[in-house]
Amino acid sequence: MEAYLHPDFPIDPPAPASVPSAYWVGPRHLAGDDGRPYDAVADTLAGLGWTSLTLVRGRREPDEAPEDRQVLRSIVLHISSDSLRWAQWVLPDEPFHLGNLPTAWQVSARSDLAGPLAQWSAYFTPEVPGEALGAFLTALDARDQPALPLGGPELVLDVVTAHGWLRDVDQPGTGAVDPTFASHLRLGEVPPLIQDGDPLALLAEAGEAVLAGWQAWAEPVLGAGYLWAASFSSSVPHDLVAAFADSLSSSAPVLRRVLPESTRDRLLRAPAS
């Protein structure tokens, strides 16, 4: 039986056993990460066979018991089997910010094992839907050459417009927005500190043209802050960004137990049986 999405189904507080504790919700781009910014993505990476390493840094005083050690920073690094691509869970490690939101994941890739530096990097804050980030990682894992450019910006714009998103009126070749004007996707200048292997990204002087990369964000209420943000350096292949955008803009509902406070009233939902 088909379950219809409806905005008036209560999502909380937790109710008796007769009321479902999970719901199918949409649109996906406003559904958040279900309060699982690490677990949902880590499950995807484990399913792809990536290896995880926990890096812990802290302070230990002389004669201090191990259980009393003060952990200052800690990250988890996931590495693909060929070591050409990796994903870092950086939220506990004092990450820089995108749109005043801390980054949670940094995904990078290189062209070969001879070079230790990443050819490109992509950054995602909390509340990026895990399904969209998972689609990006799955597409990355499927690539034989993760740093090889493929296709152009139209790949990204075509997938979102196929799901009903609208081309930017002023820049139809580089941007799109969802029909409610809450979530945006744009090809343009990237924020500071976005790492990219193209030397032009490092050599550009003030006032000079810079390499363009994809940016995505959700701002449910104009001027009230972002729900999430994602940034792709200029060398991220367009087909990988398209995989992220395709899942992000999908009209298929997603399973959620926790909804973002800023969008719960804008989400359609149906009890999950």
Side-chain angles (χ1 to χ4, degrees):
M1 178 180 296
E2 182 178 1
Y4 293 96
L5 297 178
H6 193 279
D8 297 325
F9 278 111
I11 191 70
D12 56 343
S18 59
V19 177
S21 59
Y23 292 80
W24 292 105
V25 305
R28 180 177 303 189
H29 58 90
L30 296 180
D33 58 20
D34 203 26
R36 303 173 66 238
Y38 174 76
D39 293 337
V41 178
D43 289 346
T44 296
L45 293 170
L48 295 173
W50 291 30
T51 300
S52 63
L53 302 171
T54 301
L55 309 177
V56 178
R57 285 168 279 182
R59 179 186 296 116
R60 186 173 182 179
E61 301 296 335
D63 303 322
E64 183 181 39
E67 60 270 18
D68 295 331
R69 181 182 179 185
Q70 181 182 3
V71 175
L72 298 181
R73 299 190 293 172
S74 176
I75 66 173
V76 182
L77 178 65
H78 298 259
I79 308 174
S80 65
S81 57
D82 61 6
S83 299
L84 292 180
R85 55 214 100 192
W86 59 94
Q88 298 178 73
W89 166 248
V90 298
L91 186 59
D93 199 34
E94 301 179 8
F96 68 88
H97 287 60
L98 295 173
N100 293 322
L101 299 173
T103 54
W105 286 96
Q106 178 180 343
V107 181
S108 305
R110 55 183 173 172
S111 56
D112 56 65
L113 298 177
L117 301 179
Q119 184 68 27
W120 58 257
S121 293
Y123 305 79
F124 307 86
T125 71
E127 299 293 6
V128 169
E131 295 83 1
L133 182 45
F136 177 80
L137 291 165
T138 300
L140 170 61
D141 184 77
R143 258 176 160 261
D144 292 331
Q145 297 176 288
L148 181 69
L150 180 61
E154 288 297 319
L155 284 176
V156 180
L157 297 173
D158 286 347
V159 295
V160 295
T161 54
H163 291 153
W165 285 37
L166 310 172
R167 297 244 184 177
D168 188 288
V169 174
D170 298 321
Q171 297 176 311
T174 58
V177 62
D178 84 282
T180 68
F181 298 94
S183 295
H184 305 257
L185 191 65
R186 183 173 300 164
L187 180 63
E189 182 177 351
V190 298
L193 303 180
I194 299 299
Q195 298 177 17
D196 192 83
D198 193 319
L200 292 178
L202 300 175
L203 298 177
E205 299 291 338
E208 291 183 348
V210 295
L211 296 175
W214 285 100
Q215 315 299 315
W217 68 94
E219 189 179 14
V221 179
L222 186 63
Y226 299 101
L227 171 63
W228 57 261
S231 183
F232 304 84
S233 74
S234 59
S235 296
V236 177
H238 292 291
D239 64 304
L240 297 183
V241 181
F244 171 83
D246 187 30
S247 177
L248 180 72
S249 60
S250 172
S251 59
V254 290
L255 190 64
R256 291 291 186 268
R257 291 174 175 80
V258 179
L259 295 182
E261 188 66 34
S262 62
T263 61
R264 62 176 59 242
D265 293 335
R266 302 181 63 167
L267 292 168
L268 304 176
R269 46 191 182 265
S273 58

